[in-house]
Amino acid sequence: PIPFLPRVVGVVTSPTGAAVRDIIRTAHGRYPARLLLFPARGQGVEAPEEIVRGIQVLDRLEEVETIIVGRGGGSLEDLLCFSDERVVRAVAEASTPIISGVGHETDTAICDLAADWRAATPTAAASSDAPGRAHAGCPSSVPLRVMARGSSRPSTSMTKMFAPPSL
């Protein structure tokens, strides 16, 4: 089951795409769990291996209570890496609950079917993982720790605090 108030949420996604910004913004607006980002490509030949590595590394970290695997929409070919057998097996074998937020509402990847929870988008994945701020008097920033590719621990030199976006 997905924890109600996760303190640490692992995120496997591209560090430069819109999905990570949406996850951070949504998590910040709802409940400030600490986000631990494992950077992974969201498409291409190298993507399945990086996604699998991210899931496995985050799954081994005791403090991570749930993992979001996500990427924004794209063509069927763009999203194909999330239907790769290695990714699907990693999702199914993880002991940490996984929320799959791949694509947009009409997209379905096979990893969606192996996950503990399927969210229609990366934004919905962050929403389903965090109750509203009103449910627990919460501080106003979300800590995000970024893991270096190939690392098994987050880099303290890459720790960042994300404040709400300016309107």
Side-chain angles (χ1 to χ4, degrees):
I2 306 298
F4 176 63
L5 295 172
R7 290 179 298 276
V8 179
V9 176
V11 180
V12 180
T13 193
S14 168
T16 59
V20 72
R21 291 190 306 272
D22 290 346
I23 290 168
I24 292 166
R25 186 179 315 111
T26 302
H28 176 269
R30 296 190 57 81
Y31 178 78
R34 201 172 86 213
L35 301 177
L36 182 56
L37 173 65
F38 189 97
R41 290 178 181 91
Q43 68 185 59
V45 177
E46 298 91 0
E49 185 177 320
E50 291 181 8
I51 295 165
V52 168
R53 174 109 172 105
I55 292 168
Q56 291 171 339
V57 167
L58 292 171
D59 190 39
R60 284 194 301 267
L61 298 177
E62 288 183 31
E63 67 266 27
V64 174
E65 296 177 65
T66 188
I67 299 170
I68 296 173
V69 176
R71 179 218 137 99
S75 69
L76 176 63
E77 292 78 16
D78 290 343
L79 302 176
L80 206 52
C81 61
F82 293 95
S83 292
D84 183 283
E85 181 179 355
R86 296 167 291 176
V87 172
V88 175
R89 287 186 183 277
V91 168
E93 293 169 358
S95 59
T96 306
I98 294 192
I99 299 171
S100 177
V102 176
H104 292 304
E105 287 82 359
T106 59
D107 299 319
T108 302
I110 297 175
C111 75
D112 292 342
L113 308 174
D116 296 278
W117 185 266
R118 187 236 181 224
T121 65
T123 303
S127 292
S128 65
D129 197 38
R133 186 177 290 278
H135 287 97
C138 301
S140 63
S141 61
V142 176
L144 173 71
R145 293 172 66 187
V146 180
M147 301 182 77
R149 281 208 173 109
S151 169
S152 62
R153 298 293 306 169
S155 166
T156 53
S157 65
M158 297 177 76
T159 299
K160 300 178 182 179
M161 292 291 286
F162 281 81
S166 302
L167 299 178

mmCIF file of all heavy atoms in Angstrom, residues 2 12 16 141:
data_model
loop_
_atom_site.group_PDB
_atom_site.id
_atom_site.type_symbol
_atom_site.label_atom_id
_atom_site.label_comp_id
_atom_site.label_asym_id
_atom_site.label_seq_id
_atom_site.Cartn_x
_atom_site.Cartn_y
_atom_site.Cartn_z
ATOM 1 N N ILE A 2 0.327 2.315 -0.583
ATOM 2 C CA ILE A 2 1.021 3.601 -0.642
ATOM 3 C C ILE A 2 0.891 4.271 0.723
ATOM 4 O O ILE A 2 -0.211 4.397 1.253
ATOM 5 C CB ILE A 2 0.400 4.510 -1.731
ATOM 6 C CG1 ILE A 2 0.352 3.792 -3.089
ATOM 7 C CG2 ILE A 2 1.142 5.833 -1.818
ATOM 8 C CD1 ILE A 2 1.675 3.401 -3.668
ATOM 9 N N VAL A 12 12.119 8.648 -9.987
ATOM 10 C CA VAL A 12 12.964 8.242 -11.107
ATOM 11 C C VAL A 12 12.405 8.919 -12.346
ATOM 12 O O VAL A 12 11.324 8.568 -12.822
ATOM 13 C CB VAL A 12 12.971 6.706 -11.289
ATOM 14 C CG1 VAL A 12 13.856 6.315 -12.469
ATOM 15 C CG2 VAL A 12 13.424 6.005 -10.016
ATOM 16 N N THR A 16 15.710 17.100 -16.223
ATOM 17 C CA THR A 16 15.544 18.320 -17.010
ATOM 18 C C THR A 16 14.171 18.450 -17.654
ATOM 19 O O THR A 16 13.882 19.476 -18.254
ATOM 20 C CB THR A 16 16.607 18.382 -18.129
ATOM 21 O OG1 THR A 16 16.465 17.224 -18.971
ATOM 22 C CG2 THR A 16 18.009 18.419 -17.545
ATOM 23 N N SER A 141 8.651 24.566 2.055
ATOM 24 C CA SER A 141 9.594 24.218 1.004
ATOM 25 C C SER A 141 9.788 22.704 0.966
ATOM 26 O O SER A 141 9.577 22.016 1.943
ATOM 27 C CB SER A 141 10.938 24.911 1.207
ATOM 28 O OG SER A 141 11.505 24.518 2.417
#
